[in-house]
Amino acid sequence: MNLHRLSATAWKYILLFCLLYYSCQLSAYAGEEEPGGIIKGKVITMDNKPAAGVTIQLRGTKKATLSEEDGSFTLGNLHSGTYEMEISLVGFTTIRQTVVVEKNSTVAVHIELKASSGQLEEVIVTNGANRFAKKETGDIARLPLKNLENPQVYNIVPKELMQEQIVSDYNSAFKNIPGAGVPVVYNQGRSQLLSRGFSTANLVRNGVGGFVYNNIDPANLERIEVIKGPSATLFGSTLTSFGGLFNRVTKKPVDGFKGEVAYSGGSWELNRLTADLNTPLNKDHSALFRINGAVHSERSFQDAGFTRSFMIAPAFSYKLNDRLTVLLDVEFSNYKATSPFRLAPSTSGKAHSIQDLGINYNLSFASNSVSYTTRQLNVFGQINYKMDDNWTSQTIFSRTQSSTNGYTVQLTGLTDSTLRQSVTQQDFPYYGTDIQQNFIGDFQLGGLRNRLVAGLDFFHLSSFRTDASVNMPALNFKKPGAAYTSFNGDKIASLFATATFQAIQPNREYTYSAYVSDVVNVTDRLLVMASLRLDRYDSKGTYYSYYDSTAGAFTQTALSPKLGLVYQLIKDRVSLFANYMNGFQNVNGSDYGGNTFKPQQANQSEGGLKFDIWQHKLNATFTYYNISVTNTTRDDTAHAGYSIQDGTQLSKGFEGELIANPLPGFNIVAGYTYNNSRYDKANKSIQGLRPSTAGPGKMANVWLSYRLTKGRGKGLGLGLGANYGSASTQSNTSTFVFTIPSYTVLDATLFYDQPSFRIGIKVDNLTNEKYWSYRLAPQNPTRVTANIAVKF
C-alpha cells in the first residue's frame, strides 16, 4: 500500500480510530463497580436453539447487554428493586418481563423468543454466534423450507454483514457472493453482476417484480438473496437470467421501538446520512410502522464525476385479527449523477488489452455539467390470510416506476490513441406492475407431509422513450490537450439544439402465468420437489411515433419444469441434494421459412452437499452444475439477413460457500467458483469460445471477522476481506480479443459495536489495485470510510 497516497482526511480518520481503539483497550482494565444484584439468563428460539446477539435492556436505565453464542447473558452490579427487562431481536416479538432484584443475590431467567406478528415471512434463527449464516428464508421456494430441505443453491448477504463492512453502495454488498464478479454499472446507475457465467440484473424486490433502471440505495435492505441457476419456474423469465436472480429484501416493521441514525464520511467527499426508525402505533402493537431514509453525496476518484441521491422508505403493517395481516411498503428515491465510465475499444488497432491501451486511469473524459437525473418509486403491498391450520392465502401487489432524464455518455475507441465521446439526451420512464396470488399449504396426503404453493401471476412492463444522440470530435486520449475541456454542458446543449429527437414506445409486455410447486416428505430424511410453470407472453411490439407504425409484436407460450431431491445423510446436519431446473427467454422473429422462433431454454442439472454442523458453527454448500442453453439464434449463412434457431451454449462449473464460527467472536464468510462457459453451436466468429459476458472463469471471496465477546472491550473488532478474479475479456471473437487482467482486492475494517452506538473505519482496496469491469470502467483505488451510528 502506498502510504503517501493517503489524503490528510484519511490520516485523520485513521488517527481517530487508533485513539478510540487504545481507549477501549485501557477501559478493559478499568476497575469493576461495587458488587450488587445480578440477573443471569438464557435466550432460546422456538425450536429450542440458543439465540445470540439478542439485546437485553433494563428499561429506564443504561444497563444493557447482548446474549452470548450459547444464548446466555448477565446483567450485574444492580441496586435492589424491581426492573422491567426488554428483550428484542429483529424478526421476533419484543418481550418485556418484570424481575425483582435483591442485594447480593442472583436472579435466573429463561426467555423463549417468538416470531413477530409484524413479520410477514417465517423467520428462523439457527444460531446467532454464526451470525452471518442466516440461510433460512421463505422466499427461495416460496415455501417455509430450511436450507437443508431445499434442493436449490442460494447465497444470502444479511444486513449485519453489510453493516460490519460499512457498505455505502449497493454493489459493494456483492463482494460476499461467490462468483458475482466486478459489477457492471450502466448509464442510469443500474447494475448487473454475474451468476454462473450469465449477466444478471437486479429486477426482483421482495420476491416479485421490482423492475427499476437506476441506482439502488442499500439503507433499506434487510438482506440480499441470490438464487443460483435458471429459476423461471417460480419467478418467470422477465426477472431472471439463465444464471439465477438477485432478490433484494427490504426492511419491514417489527414489534418494539428501536431506531438508528448513522453518518459516514470519507474519501472523495463522501457524505452519507442514514436513519432507521421502528415503532408500534397502538397499545396492543397490532399496528407497526418503520421508516428508513438516506442522503448520499460523493464525487468520483477521477477528475470528473459525482453522485447525489436521496431515498425514503416508509413501511406499515397492521394485524387486523389472528388470521389477517396487511403490509404496505413504499420506497422512493431521487438520484443525480454523471454517467459511469464506459469504453468500447477499437477493433482495428494493435492494443488487445486494457493495459496495452494505456488510457489514463484517473481521467473520466466526462464533465460534471453533463449529467442525468433518475427517480424511482416502488409500492409493495401484501395481504396474508390464514384460511385454516393448513392453508394460507398470500396476495401481493407491486407497482414500480423509474425514469431517466438528462445526458448519458459512452466512449468509443477509434484507434489505439483516439476515442470519440457520444452523448444521448433522453427522457426514459419505465412502468412495471406485478400482481400475484399464492395459496400455501402444509398438509398430510396419503400419510406423507406435503408443502405446496400454487399461484397465479400477472406482470406488465411498459416504457416510453424520447431521445437523440450527438458525437463529439475525435480526441487523443493519451494527450488530450485543450480539447479535453471543451466537453461540457454548454457545448453539448448547442449540438442538441439542432438534433432530431425520436419518440418510441419500445416495451409493452404482458405475462400471464400459473405455477405449482410441491415438496413431499417421503421420509423424515428424504424429500422430493416437483414444480411446473405455464407462461403466456404477449409483446405488443415497438411503436414508432414518427412512422405511426408498430413492429415486432408476438406471443409465445412456455412450460418450465423443476425437479429436486434431498436426502439428509445426517438429520438436520448434512444433506445430499440434486436438481433439474429450467429457465426460458422469449425470442422475437422468425426464420427464412416463416417459422416463428421458440423461447430459448436453459436446462440445469446439479448435485452437491449442504452442511449445518458443529452446533451450527459451520454452514457450507458444495455443488457442481451443468447448464445447457438451446434454441439460441445464429446467422443463417444460406439466407443473408435471416437467422436460424439451432444454436447452443454451455455453462458448467463448481461452487463452494463456507460460513463458519470456529472460535467465539471469529466469523468466516468464503466462496470459490469455477465456471467453464462456451458457445457450443454458434456463428463461426464465436464458435467454441467463452462469452465475454461470462466474466472470469475463476473467482474467490473471503471475509474474516473477529470481535471481543467478553470483558469491558466487548464489541471491539476487526475484519479483513479479499476478492480475486482471473483474467477475462471485453471482446472474444475469432478476429478480435481484448483482455482484462486478473485482480486481487483487499479490504479491512476496525469497529466498536455497543448496544447504544457503533463506530468503525473501513479501508477498501488496501493495495491500490488497478482493476476494471467488463465495460472497462476503472474501479475505485484505495478508499477510506469512517462511520458512526447511534442506536436507541
Side-chain angles (χ1 to χ4, degrees):
M1 177 178 177
N2 295 323
L3 296 179
H4 65 279
R5 294 187 179 181
L6 289 177
S7 66
T9 302
W11 280 111
K12 290 179 182 178
Y13 288 132
I14 293 172
L15 290 173
L16 174 63
F17 190 87
C18 289
L19 289 173
L20 171 67
Y21 176 81
Y22 286 113
S23 65
C24 293
Q25 288 291 88
L26 289 173
S27 69
Y29 296 98
E32 297 291 336
E33 298 179 33
E34 289 300 317
I38 298 172
I39 300 175
K40 283 191 174 182
K42 185 172 184 179
V43 187
I44 62 172
T45 60
M46 295 173 293
D47 50 358
N48 200 34
K49 294 174 181 176
V54 179
T55 300
I56 301 99
Q57 184 172 12
L58 298 184
R59 290 171 59 84
T61 76
K62 295 183 179 180
K63 290 286 187 178
T65 189
L66 298 175
S67 59
E68 303 288 348
E69 59 186 270
D70 61 353
S72 64
F73 68 90
T74 301
L75 290 165
N77 303 310
L78 302 175
H79 296 294
S80 299
T82 301
Y83 295 89
E84 184 179 19
M85 288 197 309
E86 183 175 272
I87 302 97
S88 60
L89 180 67
V90 172
F92 292 85
T93 301
T94 297
I95 298 172
R96 292 184 178 89
Q97 183 171 327
T98 300
V99 179
V100 177
V101 176
E102 297 179 358
K103 186 178 179 180
N104 298 324
S105 66
T106 299
V107 180
V109 295
H110 185 80
I111 300 162
E112 179 180 333
L113 296 174
K114 295 183 179 180
S116 169
S117 61
Q119 195 78 2
L120 300 183
E121 59 191 18
E122 181 173 354
V123 181
I124 305 171
V125 174
T126 54
N127 190 334
N130 196 2
R131 54 199 177 91
F132 301 142
K134 298 194 172 183
K135 300 285 286 188
E136 313 304 343
T137 171
D139 297 327
I140 309 301
R142 298 196 184 279
L143 289 168
L145 284 184
K146 294 182 180 180
N147 179 40
L148 292 180
E149 297 177 311
N150 197 328
Q152 192 165 358
V153 174
Y154 58 92
N155 313 114
I156 292 180
V157 183
K159 68 177 184 303
E160 290 82 3
L161 182 54
M162 290 185 270
Q163 186 181 78
E164 181 171 292
Q165 295 176 349
I166 314 181
V167 168
S168 60
D169 65 283
Y170 178 73
N171 295 317
S172 293
F174 284 83
K175 288 184 176 182
N176 304 289
I177 299 297
V182 179
V184 175
V185 182
Y186 291 85
N187 282 330
Q188 300 89 348
R190 62 190 173 97
S191 62
Q192 292 191 353
L193 295 107
L194 295 170
S195 184
R196 297 194 168 176
F198 295 93
S199 184
T200 304
N202 290 281
L203 305 178
V204 186
R205 183 178 184 271
N206 293 325
V208 295
F211 203 100
V212 293
Y213 258 162
N214 44 21
N215 185 56
I216 298 169
D217 195 289
N220 193 35
L221 290 178
E222 182 70 28
R223 62 183 179 274
I224 297 174
E225 300 175 343
V226 179
I227 305 175
K228 296 297 185 72
S231 303
T233 308
L234 290 180
F235 293 92
S237 64
T238 307
L239 306 175
T240 65
S241 79
F242 293 150
L245 66 95
F246 306 139
N247 178 33
R248 58 189 189 276
V249 180
T250 59
K251 296 177 181 177
K252 309 296 193 305
V254 295
D255 198 354
F257 176 82
K258 61 179 61 182
E260 177 178 301
V261 177
Y263 171 78
S264 297
S267 303
W268 314 310
E269 282 65 63
L270 170 66
N271 281 285
R272 177 175 174 82
L273 181 67
T274 62
D276 179 0
L277 175 65
N278 184 93
T279 183
L281 296 179
N282 54 8
K283 291 184 178 180
D284 64 1
H285 291 203
S286 60
L288 305 173
F289 177 76
R290 187 170 189 172
I291 186 168
N292 279 267
V295 179
H296 183 111
S297 66
E298 183 178 11
R299 68 173 179 87
S300 169
F301 73 89
Q302 294 180 314
D303 63 319
F306 70 87
T307 60
R308 302 178 193 129
S309 63
F310 166 82
M311 184 275 294
I312 187 167
F316 171 79
S317 71
Y318 184 54
K319 183 178 180 181
L320 285 82
N321 52 53
D322 291 338
R323 293 178 176 269
L324 182 61
T325 309
V326 178
L327 170 72
L328 178 64
D329 173 333
V330 179
E331 187 176 71
F332 172 79
S333 68
N334 187 86
Y335 179 79
K336 185 174 183 178
T338 52
S339 288
F341 192 100
R342 172 189 177 185
L343 173 64
S346 169
T347 59
S348 59
K350 295 182 180 180
H352 288 273
S353 76
I354 186 62
Q355 293 170 311
D356 293 342
L357 197 60
I359 192 167
N360 193 317
Y361 200 82
N362 294 311
L363 292 183
S364 65
F365 299 91
S367 168
N368 287 342
S369 60
V370 182
S371 63
Y372 65 89
T373 300
T374 67
R375 291 182 177 88
Q376 70 165 322
L377 175 65
N378 290 281
V379 179
F380 175 86
Q382 181 170 306
I383 302 173
N384 276 16
Y385 179 67
K386 189 172 179 60
M387 302 165 65
D388 56 33
D389 291 340
N390 298 322
W391 287 94
T392 299
S393 169
Q394 181 188 73
T395 306
I396 299 174
F397 170 82
S398 176
R399 177 71 169 171
T400 63
Q401 187 272 331
S402 63
S403 63
T404 303
N405 188 286
Y407 298 125
T408 60
V409 182
Q410 67 180 49
L411 310 176
T412 302
L414 303 177
T415 69
D416 283 348
S417 60
T418 61
L419 58 78
R420 181 181 64 229
Q421 298 149 311
S422 299
V423 185
T424 299
Q425 182 179 347
Q426 62 182 204
D427 183 9
F428 203 168
Y430 272 84
Y431 303 90
T433 302
D434 198 339
I435 302 174
Q436 191 174 103
Q437 174 61 52
N438 293 312
F439 294 99
I440 302 169
D442 188 343
F443 56 92
Q444 296 286 325
L445 183 64
L448 302 178
R449 183 187 183 188
N450 287 254
R451 278 170 284 183
L452 181 144
V453 57
L456 299 171
D457 188 61
F458 167 77
F459 184 77
H460 170 56
L461 178 67
S462 64
S463 64
F464 306 86
R465 188 177 78 200
T466 301
D467 62 19
S469 297
V470 298
N471 293 321
M472 298 293 291
L475 177 70
N476 186 322
F477 61 78
K478 294 191 175 181
K479 297 180 179 180
Y484 187 79
T485 59
S486 66
F487 184 73
N488 55 60
D490 292 339
K491 177 72 172 180
I492 298 301
S494 65
L495 294 175
F496 277 107
T498 58
T500 301
F501 283 81
Q502 298 178 348
I504 63 175
Q505 183 175 313
N507 285 304
R508 289 182 297 157
E509 304 174 9
Y510 299 84
T511 305
Y512 310 88
S513 308
Y515 50 87
V516 62
S517 180
D518 190 17
V519 177
V520 181
N521 281 76
V522 180
T523 69
D524 64 339
R525 295 192 180 192
L526 178 62
L527 294 87
V528 178
M529 172 186 283
S531 313
L532 182 66
R533 183 187 192 94
L534 174 65
D535 190 279
R536 177 65 172 177
Y537 177 79
D538 182 5
S539 173
K540 301 301 183 183
T542 301
Y543 175 70
Y544 298 89
S545 59
Y546 43 95
Y547 294 130
D548 191 23
S549 64
T550 300
F554 71 102
T555 59
Q556 284 182 344
T557 301
L559 281 173
S560 178
K562 175 182 175 182
L563 298 171
L565 183 69
V566 172
Y567 181 71
Q568 296 192 18
L569 299 173
I570 303 175
K571 178 67 174 172
D572 296 327
R573 292 293 177 267
V574 181
S575 288
L576 176 68
F577 70 93
N579 67 58
Y580 163 80
M581 293 172 55
N582 173 269
F584 60 91
Q585 290 181 0
N586 296 287
V587 181
N588 186 16
S590 59
D591 62 17
Y592 181 76
N595 300 304
T596 302
F597 289 140
K598 302 175 183 178
Q600 280 188 339
Q601 296 282 345
N603 298 292
Q604 172 185 274
S605 56
E606 179 178 20
L609 287 167
K610 294 184 179 183
F611 298 85
D612 187 2
I613 57 177
W614 197 12
Q615 295 181 333
H616 309 289
K617 294 181 180 180
L618 191 151
N619 187 291
T621 301
F622 303 101
T623 182
Y624 171 82
Y625 63 88
N626 190 321
I627 302 173
S628 175
V629 182
T630 59
N631 291 343
T632 63
T633 57
R634 61 191 182 98
D635 293 340
D636 186 346
T637 56
H639 306 95
Y642 287 89
S643 298
I644 55 178
Q645 194 180 34
D646 65 350
T648 58
Q649 180 183 341
L650 301 178
S651 180
K652 57 185 178 180
F654 168 83
E655 288 182 351
E657 181 189 47
L658 175 71
I659 308 174
N661 173 225
L663 299 170
F666 182 41
N667 291 84
I668 302 172
V669 177
Y672 174 80
T673 63
Y674 168 76
N675 175 260
N676 179 13
S677 292
R678 62 183 174 88
Y679 293 108
D680 188 51
K681 189 175 184 181
N683 294 328
K684 290 183 179 180
S685 63
I686 57 174
Q687 174 64 35
L689 300 179
R690 179 179 179 84
S692 57
T693 54
K698 299 176 183 178
M699 283 183 275
N701 64 281
V702 64
W703 180 257
L704 307 176
S705 169
Y706 178 75
R707 67 170 63 195
L708 298 177
T709 60
K710 296 180 180 180
R712 300 298 291 273
K714 180 179 177 180
L716 186 67
L718 57 89
L720 179 65
N723 287 83
Y724 165 80
S726 60
S728 58
T729 60
Q730 187 273 341
S731 297
N732 190 24
T733 69
S734 59
T735 58
F736 181 71
V737 178
F738 196 87
T739 62
I740 304 171
S742 63
Y743 63 88
T744 301
V745 179
L746 302 178
D747 304 327
T749 184
L750 290 168
F751 56 89
Y752 186 51
D753 195 354
Q754 293 295 296
S756 58
F757 72 92
R758 182 182 64 257
I759 189 168
I761 189 168
K762 174 78 176 297
V763 182
D764 291 290
N765 197 355
L766 277 164
T767 59
N768 212 30
E769 178 89 340
K770 290 185 177 181
Y771 64 114
W772 295 261
S773 73
Y774 159 73
R775 281 193 162 193
L776 303 182
Q779 302 300 294
N780 285 333
T782 301
R783 177 173 69 172
V784 179
T785 304
N787 171 267
I788 184 169
V790 177
K791 297 180 280 187
F792 50 90

